[in-house]
Amino acid sequence: MPLRLTRPRTLALCALPVLALFGTAAFAPLPFTVAEPGTTANVLGSADGKQVITITGAPTRTTEGQLRMTTIYATGPKADVRASDVIDSWFRTDRAVMSRNSVYPTGGSDKEIEQHNLNDMKQSQDVAVDAALNYLDREQGSMTFSLDLGDIGGPSAGLFLALGIVDKLDGDGSGGDLTGGRTIAGTGTIAADGTVGAVGGVSMKTQAARRDGATVFLVPKDECGEATAELPKGLRLIPVTTLKGAVSALEALDDGSSLPSC
């Protein structure tokens, strides 16, 4: 005689494969990276005991205030991120879940990925010099630039390296500092023509910035939405799209002009 199942028993049996699937997923590695606020570095000062920006062959200014580039800490490219890690991060404001491919290039070993990121930083440094000189309408001539952020990799410091060069060479153009004595933080890639590009982990970077004393954060305009999601109290966001716009925004902080906001 065939066994007849009651509705509750039928539902319970049907749920078993689903529960097994979720149980397996809970322990299986997922293609995500978990990020948290990282270090910041004042590009007008030193990092790891070395001056970040050194310019020879031209007069430079003694600057006040700080221009702090920001970073994130992220689980490694080969780290096992599991469903429990993802769920935990969703309920925390100091964690973010990101696609692994958005943080790390694919197809390489840990050492190859690290080298890739350092190469990105080196290229970003070279482009930052070009962007700053193009903005100032100056030829490199006999000037030489040494930019050193230690083992920080990736291209997201480009905007702040360019701002640091502008501040050291020209300030606000009227004898003052770009920072106005403030601690300014932010992020963004830079192109030689001064275009500011988007980066990742902005919501974590705003937290790192506020933790390290920043009151103003320059953010690529396209990432305003993410930046406002977990914005720390006391940190003012200013969206930027170009190096020229970033310089103008910093100058406007002192004279009370209206500024764009996210």
mmCIF file of all heavy atoms in Angstrom, residues 50-101:
data_model
loop_
_atom_site.group_PDB
_atom_site.id
_atom_site.type_symbol
_atom_site.label_atom_id
_atom_site.label_comp_id
_atom_site.label_asym_id
_atom_site.label_seq_id
_atom_site.Cartn_x
_atom_site.Cartn_y
_atom_site.Cartn_z
ATOM 1 N N LYS A 50 58.846 58.100 4.785
ATOM 2 C CA LYS A 50 59.378 58.716 3.575
ATOM 3 C C LYS A 50 58.434 59.794 3.062
ATOM 4 O O LYS A 50 57.217 59.635 3.114
ATOM 5 C CB LYS A 50 59.590 57.660 2.472
ATOM 6 C CG LYS A 50 60.610 56.592 2.836
ATOM 7 C CD LYS A 50 60.757 55.597 1.692
ATOM 8 C CE LYS A 50 61.789 54.520 2.030
ATOM 9 N NZ LYS A 50 61.922 53.524 0.927
ATOM 10 N N GLN A 51 59.015 60.896 2.587
ATOM 11 C CA GLN A 51 58.205 61.957 2.012
ATOM 12 C C GLN A 51 57.421 61.410 0.827
ATOM 13 O O GLN A 51 57.989 60.740 -0.042
ATOM 14 C CB GLN A 51 59.103 63.114 1.559
ATOM 15 C CG GLN A 51 58.373 64.414 1.256
ATOM 16 C CD GLN A 51 57.836 65.098 2.495
ATOM 17 O OE1 GLN A 51 58.281 64.804 3.599
ATOM 18 N NE2 GLN A 51 56.881 65.986 2.325
ATOM 19 N N VAL A 52 56.113 61.692 0.793
ATOM 20 C CA VAL A 52 55.291 61.164 -0.295
ATOM 21 C C VAL A 52 55.614 61.855 -1.620
ATOM 22 O O VAL A 52 55.825 61.192 -2.641
ATOM 23 C CB VAL A 52 53.793 61.309 0.033
ATOM 24 C CG1 VAL A 52 52.942 60.855 -1.164
ATOM 25 C CG2 VAL A 52 53.426 60.497 1.267
ATOM 26 N N ILE A 53 55.658 63.176 -1.608
ATOM 27 C CA ILE A 53 55.923 63.937 -2.838
ATOM 28 C C ILE A 53 57.202 64.739 -2.660
ATOM 29 O O ILE A 53 57.294 65.584 -1.766
ATOM 30 C CB ILE A 53 54.758 64.887 -3.178
ATOM 31 C CG1 ILE A 53 53.461 64.109 -3.405
ATOM 32 C CG2 ILE A 53 55.096 65.719 -4.423
ATOM 33 C CD1 ILE A 53 52.241 64.999 -3.595
ATOM 34 N N THR A 54 58.186 64.463 -3.493
ATOM 35 C CA THR A 54 59.432 65.222 -3.492
ATOM 36 C C THR A 54 59.630 65.808 -4.883
ATOM 37 O O THR A 54 59.602 65.081 -5.879
ATOM 38 C CB THR A 54 60.636 64.327 -3.138
ATOM 39 O OG1 THR A 54 60.410 63.719 -1.860
ATOM 40 C CG2 THR A 54 61.911 65.148 -3.079
ATOM 41 N N ILE A 55 59.806 67.125 -4.922
ATOM 42 C CA ILE A 55 59.984 67.822 -6.200
ATOM 43 C C ILE A 55 61.330 68.531 -6.169
ATOM 44 O O ILE A 55 61.629 69.288 -5.245
ATOM 45 C CB ILE A 55 58.867 68.852 -6.446
ATOM 46 C CG1 ILE A 55 57.489 68.168 -6.376
ATOM 47 C CG2 ILE A 55 59.055 69.551 -7.801
ATOM 48 C CD1 ILE A 55 56.321 69.146 -6.395
ATOM 49 N N THR A 56 62.147 68.278 -7.160
ATOM 50 C CA THR A 56 63.424 68.978 -7.290
ATOM 51 C C THR A 56 63.453 69.704 -8.628
ATOM 52 O O THR A 56 62.752 69.343 -9.571
ATOM 53 C CB THR A 56 64.612 68.001 -7.198
ATOM 54 O OG1 THR A 56 64.462 66.980 -8.193
ATOM 55 C CG2 THR A 56 64.666 67.339 -5.827
ATOM 56 N N GLY A 57 64.264 70.771 -8.677
ATOM 57 C CA GLY A 57 64.382 71.533 -9.920
ATOM 58 C C GLY A 57 63.421 72.688 -10.014
ATOM 59 O O GLY A 57 63.345 73.354 -11.055
ATOM 60 N N ALA A 58 62.652 72.957 -8.945
ATOM 61 C CA ALA A 58 61.717 74.083 -8.929
ATOM 62 C C ALA A 58 61.435 74.455 -7.481
ATOM 63 O O ALA A 58 61.474 73.584 -6.591
ATOM 64 C CB ALA A 58 60.416 73.731 -9.643
ATOM 65 N N PRO A 59 61.138 75.732 -7.196
ATOM 66 C CA PRO A 59 60.789 76.131 -5.826
ATOM 67 C C PRO A 59 59.486 75.452 -5.403
ATOM 68 O O PRO A 59 58.551 75.318 -6.191
ATOM 69 C CB PRO A 59 60.606 77.657 -5.933
ATOM 70 C CG PRO A 59 61.248 78.055 -7.216
ATOM 71 C CD PRO A 59 61.139 76.880 -8.123
ATOM 72 N N THR A 60 59.446 75.012 -4.150
ATOM 73 C CA THR A 60 58.220 74.422 -3.615
ATOM 74 C C THR A 60 57.799 75.175 -2.356
ATOM 75 O O THR A 60 58.609 75.839 -1.708
ATOM 76 C CB THR A 60 58.411 72.930 -3.280
ATOM 77 O OG1 THR A 60 59.503 72.784 -2.364
ATOM 78 C CG2 THR A 60 58.696 72.123 -4.530
ATOM 79 N N ARG A 61 56.545 75.056 -2.019
ATOM 80 C CA ARG A 61 55.964 75.758 -0.883
ATOM 81 C C ARG A 61 55.992 74.877 0.366
ATOM 82 O O ARG A 61 55.921 73.660 0.278
ATOM 83 C CB ARG A 61 54.510 76.139 -1.179
ATOM 84 C CG ARG A 61 54.296 76.931 -2.450
ATOM 85 C CD ARG A 61 52.818 77.175 -2.710
ATOM 86 N NE ARG A 61 52.210 77.911 -1.607
ATOM 87 C CZ ARG A 61 51.459 77.362 -0.657
ATOM 88 N NH1 ARG A 61 51.216 76.044 -0.679
ATOM 89 N NH2 ARG A 61 50.944 78.090 0.312
ATOM 90 N N THR A 62 56.048 75.539 1.516
ATOM 91 C CA THR A 62 55.798 74.858 2.780
ATOM 92 C C THR A 62 54.298 74.895 3.012
ATOM 93 O O THR A 62 53.696 75.980 3.054
ATOM 94 C CB THR A 62 56.532 75.549 3.939
ATOM 95 O OG1 THR A 62 57.937 75.524 3.685
ATOM 96 C CG2 THR A 62 56.239 74.844 5.257
ATOM 97 N N THR A 63 53.678 73.748 3.126
ATOM 98 C CA THR A 63 52.216 73.685 3.170
ATOM 99 C C THR A 63 51.700 73.450 4.580
ATOM 100 O O THR A 63 52.385 72.888 5.436
ATOM 101 C CB THR A 63 51.708 72.542 2.265
ATOM 102 O OG1 THR A 63 52.294 71.310 2.696
ATOM 103 C CG2 THR A 63 52.082 72.798 0.808
ATOM 104 N N GLU A 64 50.489 73.909 4.803
ATOM 105 C CA GLU A 64 49.761 73.637 6.041
ATOM 106 C C GLU A 64 48.556 72.750 5.699
ATOM 107 O O GLU A 64 48.152 72.640 4.548
ATOM 108 C CB GLU A 64 49.283 74.938 6.686
ATOM 109 C CG GLU A 64 50.409 75.890 7.055
ATOM 110 C CD GLU A 64 51.257 75.379 8.204
ATOM 111 O OE1 GLU A 64 50.757 74.533 8.973
ATOM 112 O OE2 GLU A 64 52.419 75.823 8.325
ATOM 113 N N GLY A 65 47.976 72.164 6.717
ATOM 114 C CA GLY A 65 46.832 71.299 6.474
ATOM 115 C C GLY A 65 47.268 69.957 5.908
ATOM 116 O O GLY A 65 48.461 69.666 5.771
ATOM 117 N N GLN A 66 46.291 69.133 5.567
ATOM 118 C CA GLN A 66 46.580 67.788 5.080
ATOM 119 C C GLN A 66 45.679 67.434 3.901
ATOM 120 O O GLN A 66 44.507 67.825 3.866
ATOM 121 C CB GLN A 66 46.364 66.744 6.196
ATOM 122 C CG GLN A 66 47.245 66.942 7.405
ATOM 123 C CD GLN A 66 47.035 65.867 8.448
ATOM 124 O OE1 GLN A 66 46.578 64.750 8.153
ATOM 125 N NE2 GLN A 66 47.359 66.179 9.692
ATOM 126 N N LEU A 67 46.249 66.691 2.985
ATOM 127 C CA LEU A 67 45.499 66.087 1.880
ATOM 128 C C LEU A 67 45.663 64.581 2.034
ATOM 129 O O LEU A 67 46.711 64.023 1.684
ATOM 130 C CB LEU A 67 46.046 66.552 0.526
ATOM 131 C CG LEU A 67 45.759 67.990 0.111
ATOM 132 C CD1 LEU A 67 46.580 68.371 -1.120
ATOM 133 C CD2 LEU A 67 44.271 68.189 -0.167
ATOM 134 N N ARG A 68 44.644 63.914 2.555
ATOM 135 C CA ARG A 68 44.770 62.501 2.910
ATOM 136 C C ARG A 68 44.091 61.601 1.880
ATOM 137 O O ARG A 68 42.878 61.640 1.703
ATOM 138 C CB ARG A 68 44.188 62.231 4.300
ATOM 139 C CG ARG A 68 44.839 63.044 5.401
ATOM 140 C CD ARG A 68 44.529 62.489 6.778
ATOM 141 N NE ARG A 68 45.305 61.289 7.053
ATOM 142 C CZ ARG A 68 46.528 61.290 7.594
ATOM 143 N NH1 ARG A 68 47.102 62.426 7.932
ATOM 144 N NH2 ARG A 68 47.160 60.167 7.807
ATOM 145 N N MET A 69 44.916 60.809 1.174
ATOM 146 C CA MET A 69 44.350 59.776 0.312
ATOM 147 C C MET A 69 43.878 58.632 1.203
ATOM 148 O O MET A 69 44.381 58.439 2.314
ATOM 149 C CB MET A 69 45.353 59.303 -0.735
ATOM 150 C CG MET A 69 46.680 58.779 -0.214
ATOM 151 S SD MET A 69 46.665 57.073 0.403
ATOM 152 C CE MET A 69 46.231 56.197 -1.089
ATOM 153 N N THR A 70 42.894 57.893 0.728
ATOM 154 C CA THR A 70 42.250 56.888 1.574
ATOM 155 C C THR A 70 42.331 55.511 0.933
ATOM 156 O O THR A 70 42.430 55.373 -0.284
ATOM 157 C CB THR A 70 40.774 57.251 1.807
ATOM 158 O OG1 THR A 70 40.127 57.449 0.538
ATOM 159 C CG2 THR A 70 40.646 58.517 2.645
ATOM 160 N N THR A 71 42.271 54.478 1.778
ATOM 161 C CA THR A 71 42.339 53.109 1.292
ATOM 162 C C THR A 71 41.298 52.248 2.003
ATOM 163 O O THR A 71 40.659 52.690 2.957
ATOM 164 C CB THR A 71 43.735 52.489 1.556
ATOM 165 O OG1 THR A 71 43.897 52.286 2.975
ATOM 166 C CG2 THR A 71 44.851 53.372 1.046
ATOM 167 N N ILE A 72 41.167 51.029 1.520
ATOM 168 C CA ILE A 72 40.366 50.023 2.209
ATOM 169 C C ILE A 72 41.245 48.822 2.512
ATOM 170 O O ILE A 72 42.239 48.583 1.826
ATOM 171 C CB ILE A 72 39.148 49.565 1.383
ATOM 172 C CG1 ILE A 72 39.596 48.938 0.046
ATOM 173 C CG2 ILE A 72 38.166 50.714 1.158
ATOM 174 C CD1 ILE A 72 38.478 48.264 -0.733
ATOM 175 N N TYR A 73 40.886 48.097 3.557
ATOM 176 C CA TYR A 73 41.432 46.764 3.786
ATOM 177 C C TYR A 73 40.436 45.787 3.166
ATOM 178 O O TYR A 73 39.229 45.911 3.368
ATOM 179 C CB TYR A 73 41.558 46.458 5.273
ATOM 180 C CG TYR A 73 42.664 47.185 5.986
ATOM 181 C CD1 TYR A 73 42.409 47.875 7.165
ATOM 182 C CD2 TYR A 73 43.975 47.160 5.511
ATOM 183 C CE1 TYR A 73 43.431 48.535 7.844
ATOM 184 C CE2 TYR A 73 44.997 47.808 6.178
ATOM 185 C CZ TYR A 73 44.718 48.496 7.341
ATOM 186 O OH TYR A 73 45.724 49.148 8.003
ATOM 187 N N ALA A 74 40.935 44.806 2.444
ATOM 188 C CA ALA A 74 40.050 43.824 1.827
ATOM 189 C C ALA A 74 40.615 42.421 2.015
ATOM 190 O O ALA A 74 41.835 42.235 2.049
ATOM 191 C CB ALA A 74 39.874 44.114 0.339
ATOM 192 N N THR A 75 39.722 41.456 2.159
ATOM 193 C CA THR A 75 40.179 40.078 2.216
ATOM 194 C C THR A 75 40.920 39.745 0.922
ATOM 195 O O THR A 75 40.621 40.276 -0.140
ATOM 196 C CB THR A 75 38.993 39.115 2.391
ATOM 197 O OG1 THR A 75 37.990 39.406 1.393
ATOM 198 C CG2 THR A 75 38.370 39.263 3.770
ATOM 199 N N GLY A 76 41.909 38.882 1.017
ATOM 200 C CA GLY A 76 42.780 38.580 -0.108
ATOM 201 C C GLY A 76 42.067 37.915 -1.266
ATOM 202 O O GLY A 76 40.953 37.389 -1.120
ATOM 203 N N PRO A 77 42.702 37.911 -2.437
ATOM 204 C CA PRO A 77 42.076 37.354 -3.639
ATOM 205 C C PRO A 77 41.802 35.863 -3.542
ATOM 206 O O PRO A 77 40.933 35.350 -4.251
ATOM 207 C CB PRO A 77 43.090 37.660 -4.743
ATOM 208 C CG PRO A 77 44.387 37.868 -4.041
ATOM 209 C CD PRO A 77 44.037 38.469 -2.721
ATOM 210 N N LYS A 78 42.518 35.159 -2.676
ATOM 211 C CA LYS A 78 42.308 33.726 -2.531
ATOM 212 C C LYS A 78 41.606 33.375 -1.221
ATOM 213 O O LYS A 78 41.431 32.193 -0.911
ATOM 214 C CB LYS A 78 43.657 32.987 -2.590
ATOM 215 C CG LYS A 78 44.480 33.272 -3.840
ATOM 216 C CD LYS A 78 43.754 32.867 -5.111
ATOM 217 C CE LYS A 78 44.642 33.100 -6.330
ATOM 218 N NZ LYS A 78 43.949 32.781 -7.592
ATOM 219 N N ALA A 79 41.192 34.382 -0.467
ATOM 220 C CA ALA A 79 40.544 34.123 0.821
ATOM 221 C C ALA A 79 39.169 33.502 0.609
ATOM 222 O O ALA A 79 38.456 33.826 -0.358
ATOM 223 C CB ALA A 79 40.409 35.422 1.611
ATOM 224 N N ASP A 80 38.784 32.611 1.507
ATOM 225 C CA ASP A 80 37.460 31.995 1.458
ATOM 226 C C ASP A 80 36.460 32.906 2.167
ATOM 227 O O ASP A 80 36.514 33.067 3.385
ATOM 228 C CB ASP A 80 37.476 30.624 2.150
ATOM 229 C CG ASP A 80 38.183 29.568 1.316
ATOM 230 O OD1 ASP A 80 38.361 29.798 0.104
ATOM 231 O OD2 ASP A 80 38.562 28.525 1.885
ATOM 232 N N VAL A 81 35.578 33.521 1.390
ATOM 233 C CA VAL A 81 34.501 34.336 1.951
ATOM 234 C C VAL A 81 33.219 33.514 1.852
ATOM 235 O O VAL A 81 32.821 33.094 0.765
ATOM 236 C CB VAL A 81 34.342 35.668 1.186
ATOM 237 C CG1 VAL A 81 33.146 36.452 1.700
ATOM 238 C CG2 VAL A 81 35.627 36.493 1.314
ATOM 239 N N ARG A 82 32.593 33.274 2.973
ATOM 240 C CA ARG A 82 31.439 32.379 3.025
ATOM 241 C C ARG A 82 30.172 33.155 3.293
ATOM 242 O O ARG A 82 30.201 34.353 3.595
ATOM 243 C CB ARG A 82 31.670 31.287 4.069
ATOM 244 C CG ARG A 82 32.950 30.510 3.781
ATOM 245 C CD ARG A 82 33.212 29.385 4.753
ATOM 246 N NE ARG A 82 34.508 28.771 4.468
ATOM 247 C CZ ARG A 82 34.724 27.869 3.527
ATOM 248 N NH1 ARG A 82 33.724 27.473 2.758
ATOM 249 N NH2 ARG A 82 35.923 27.372 3.315
ATOM 250 N N ALA A 83 29.045 32.471 3.147
ATOM 251 C CA ALA A 83 27.749 33.123 3.299
ATOM 252 C C ALA A 83 27.621 33.796 4.655
ATOM 253 O O ALA A 83 27.057 34.894 4.770
ATOM 254 C CB ALA A 83 26.627 32.109 3.106
ATOM 255 N N SER A 84 28.155 33.172 5.692
ATOM 256 C CA SER A 84 28.070 33.760 7.031
ATOM 257 C C SER A 84 28.830 35.078 7.097
ATOM 258 O O SER A 84 28.392 36.032 7.769
ATOM 259 C CB SER A 84 28.619 32.780 8.070
ATOM 260 O OG SER A 84 29.961 32.408 7.756
ATOM 261 N N ASP A 85 29.957 35.168 6.381
ATOM 262 C CA ASP A 85 30.725 36.417 6.347
ATOM 263 C C ASP A 85 29.941 37.516 5.633
ATOM 264 O O ASP A 85 29.925 38.674 6.060
ATOM 265 C CB ASP A 85 32.058 36.209 5.614
ATOM 266 C CG ASP A 85 32.910 35.144 6.259
ATOM 267 O OD1 ASP A 85 33.035 35.162 7.494
ATOM 268 O OD2 ASP A 85 33.451 34.297 5.531
ATOM 269 N N VAL A 86 29.299 37.130 4.524
ATOM 270 C CA VAL A 86 28.523 38.094 3.747
ATOM 271 C C VAL A 86 27.341 38.614 4.560
ATOM 272 O O VAL A 86 27.086 39.827 4.624
ATOM 273 C CB VAL A 86 28.038 37.452 2.430
ATOM 274 C CG1 VAL A 86 27.098 38.392 1.686
ATOM 275 C CG2 VAL A 86 29.227 37.078 1.550
ATOM 276 N N ILE A 87 26.615 37.699 5.198
ATOM 277 C CA ILE A 87 25.449 38.104 5.992
ATOM 278 C C ILE A 87 25.869 39.000 7.141
ATOM 279 O O ILE A 87 25.235 40.036 7.407
ATOM 280 C CB ILE A 87 24.710 36.851 6.509
ATOM 281 C CG1 ILE A 87 24.091 36.096 5.329
ATOM 282 C CG2 ILE A 87 23.627 37.232 7.517
ATOM 283 C CD1 ILE A 87 23.558 34.727 5.683
ATOM 284 N N ASP A 88 26.942 38.642 7.830
ATOM 285 C CA ASP A 88 27.440 39.468 8.925
ATOM 286 C C ASP A 88 27.791 40.870 8.443
ATOM 287 O O ASP A 88 27.470 41.871 9.099
ATOM 288 C CB ASP A 88 28.665 38.804 9.550
ATOM 289 C CG ASP A 88 29.293 39.647 10.645
ATOM 290 O OD1 ASP A 88 28.620 39.899 11.658
ATOM 291 O OD2 ASP A 88 30.454 40.076 10.490
ATOM 292 N N SER A 89 28.430 40.969 7.274
ATOM 293 C CA SER A 89 28.857 42.270 6.745
ATOM 294 C C SER A 89 27.673 43.138 6.351
ATOM 295 O O SER A 89 27.734 44.368 6.456
ATOM 296 C CB SER A 89 29.786 42.065 5.545
ATOM 297 O OG SER A 89 30.940 41.347 5.913
ATOM 298 N N TRP A 90 26.595 42.515 5.876
ATOM 299 C CA TRP A 90 25.412 43.276 5.485
ATOM 300 C C TRP A 90 24.796 44.016 6.664
ATOM 301 O O TRP A 90 24.143 45.042 6.493
ATOM 302 C CB TRP A 90 24.367 42.346 4.868
ATOM 303 C CG TRP A 90 24.627 42.054 3.422
ATOM 304 C CD1 TRP A 90 25.371 42.792 2.553
ATOM 305 C CD2 TRP A 90 24.130 40.931 2.673
ATOM 306 N NE1 TRP A 90 25.386 42.192 1.322
ATOM 307 C CE2 TRP A 90 24.627 41.056 1.349
ATOM 308 C CE3 TRP A 90 23.323 39.844 2.996
ATOM 309 C CZ2 TRP A 90 24.343 40.135 0.361
ATOM 310 C CZ3 TRP A 90 23.043 38.921 1.997
ATOM 311 C CH2 TRP A 90 23.538 39.066 0.697
ATOM 312 N N PHE A 91 24.998 43.512 7.868
ATOM 313 C CA PHE A 91 24.397 44.118 9.052
ATOM 314 C C PHE A 91 25.371 45.019 9.808
ATOM 315 O O PHE A 91 25.076 45.461 10.908
ATOM 316 C CB PHE A 91 23.859 43.020 9.986
ATOM 317 C CG PHE A 91 22.642 42.329 9.447
ATOM 318 C CD1 PHE A 91 22.762 41.131 8.755
ATOM 319 C CD2 PHE A 91 21.386 42.888 9.590
ATOM 320 C CE1 PHE A 91 21.639 40.498 8.239
ATOM 321 C CE2 PHE A 91 20.261 42.262 9.072
ATOM 322 C CZ PHE A 91 20.388 41.063 8.394
ATOM 323 N N ARG A 92 26.522 45.310 9.208
ATOM 324 C CA ARG A 92 27.511 46.168 9.850
ATOM 325 C C ARG A 92 27.811 47.370 8.973
ATOM 326 O O ARG A 92 27.924 47.259 7.750
ATOM 327 C CB ARG A 92 28.799 45.381 10.121
ATOM 328 C CG ARG A 92 28.617 44.226 11.079
ATOM 329 C CD ARG A 92 29.909 43.464 11.308
ATOM 330 N NE ARG A 92 30.968 44.329 11.832
ATOM 331 C CZ ARG A 92 32.104 43.847 12.337
ATOM 332 N NH1 ARG A 92 32.312 42.545 12.381
ATOM 333 N NH2 ARG A 92 33.027 44.666 12.789
ATOM 334 N N THR A 93 27.947 48.536 9.597
ATOM 335 C CA THR A 93 28.261 49.742 8.836
ATOM 336 C C THR A 93 29.747 49.882 8.549
ATOM 337 O O THR A 93 30.140 50.689 7.705
ATOM 338 C CB THR A 93 27.783 50.997 9.586
ATOM 339 O OG1 THR A 93 28.448 51.059 10.867
ATOM 340 C CG2 THR A 93 26.279 50.980 9.794
ATOM 341 N N ASP A 94 30.586 49.098 9.249
ATOM 342 C CA ASP A 94 32.025 49.181 9.039
ATOM 343 C C ASP A 94 32.549 48.046 8.168
ATOM 344 O O ASP A 94 33.744 47.746 8.184
ATOM 345 C CB ASP A 94 32.770 49.199 10.377
ATOM 346 C CG ASP A 94 32.540 47.920 11.179
ATOM 347 O OD1 ASP A 94 31.596 47.181 10.862
ATOM 348 O OD2 ASP A 94 33.322 47.671 12.127
ATOM 349 N N ARG A 95 31.677 47.414 7.423
ATOM 350 C CA ARG A 95 32.056 46.370 6.482
ATOM 351 C C ARG A 95 31.284 46.568 5.189
ATOM 352 O O ARG A 95 30.167 47.068 5.188
ATOM 353 C CB ARG A 95 31.742 44.965 7.023
ATOM 354 C CG ARG A 95 32.472 44.586 8.296
ATOM 355 C CD ARG A 95 33.945 44.292 8.036
ATOM 356 N NE ARG A 95 34.570 43.722 9.214
ATOM 357 C CZ ARG A 95 35.060 44.439 10.209
ATOM 358 N NH1 ARG A 95 34.960 45.759 10.185
ATOM 359 N NH2 ARG A 95 35.642 43.841 11.247
ATOM 360 N N ALA A 96 31.871 46.149 4.083
ATOM 361 C CA ALA A 96 31.197 46.198 2.791
ATOM 362 C C ALA A 96 31.520 44.934 2.016
ATOM 363 O O ALA A 96 32.656 44.440 2.074
ATOM 364 C CB ALA A 96 31.633 47.423 1.997
ATOM 365 N N VAL A 97 30.542 44.404 1.326
ATOM 366 C CA VAL A 97 30.741 43.226 0.480
ATOM 367 C C VAL A 97 30.872 43.696 -0.963
ATOM 368 O O VAL A 97 30.002 44.400 -1.479
ATOM 369 C CB VAL A 97 29.563 42.244 0.618
ATOM 370 C CG1 VAL A 97 29.770 41.045 -0.306
ATOM 371 C CG2 VAL A 97 29.410 41.789 2.060
ATOM 372 N N MET A 98 31.959 43.311 -1.602
ATOM 373 C CA MET A 98 32.231 43.744 -2.963
ATOM 374 C C MET A 98 32.543 42.527 -3.821
ATOM 375 O O MET A 98 33.074 41.520 -3.333
ATOM 376 C CB MET A 98 33.428 44.711 -2.988
ATOM 377 C CG MET A 98 33.263 45.912 -2.071
ATOM 378 S SD MET A 98 34.790 46.866 -1.885
ATOM 379 C CE MET A 98 34.978 47.486 -3.551
ATOM 380 N N SER A 99 32.205 42.626 -5.098
ATOM 381 C CA SER A 99 32.595 41.570 -6.029
ATOM 382 C C SER A 99 34.107 41.450 -6.041
ATOM 383 O O SER A 99 34.819 42.454 -6.119
ATOM 384 C CB SER A 99 32.091 41.906 -7.435
ATOM 385 O OG SER A 99 32.738 41.119 -8.401
ATOM 386 N N ARG A 100 34.605 40.223 -5.958
ATOM 387 C CA ARG A 100 36.055 40.025 -5.936
ATOM 388 C C ARG A 100 36.697 40.598 -7.199
ATOM 389 O O ARG A 100 37.795 41.169 -7.153
ATOM 390 C CB ARG A 100 36.362 38.540 -5.797
ATOM 391 C CG ARG A 100 37.844 38.228 -5.631
ATOM 392 C CD ARG A 100 38.063 36.755 -5.321
ATOM 393 N NE ARG A 100 37.513 36.401 -4.022
ATOM 394 C CZ ARG A 100 37.340 35.160 -3.605
ATOM 395 N NH1 ARG A 100 37.646 34.144 -4.401
ATOM 396 N NH2 ARG A 100 36.847 34.910 -2.403
ATOM 397 N N ASN A 101 36.031 40.473 -8.334
ATOM 398 C CA ASN A 101 36.591 40.970 -9.591
ATOM 399 C C ASN A 101 36.687 42.487 -9.633
ATOM 400 O O ASN A 101 37.448 43.038 -10.438
ATOM 401 C CB ASN A 101 35.754 40.478 -10.775
ATOM 402 C CG ASN A 101 35.892 38.986 -11.000
ATOM 403 O OD1 ASN A 101 36.820 38.353 -10.498
ATOM 404 N ND2 ASN A 101 34.966 38.415 -11.755
#
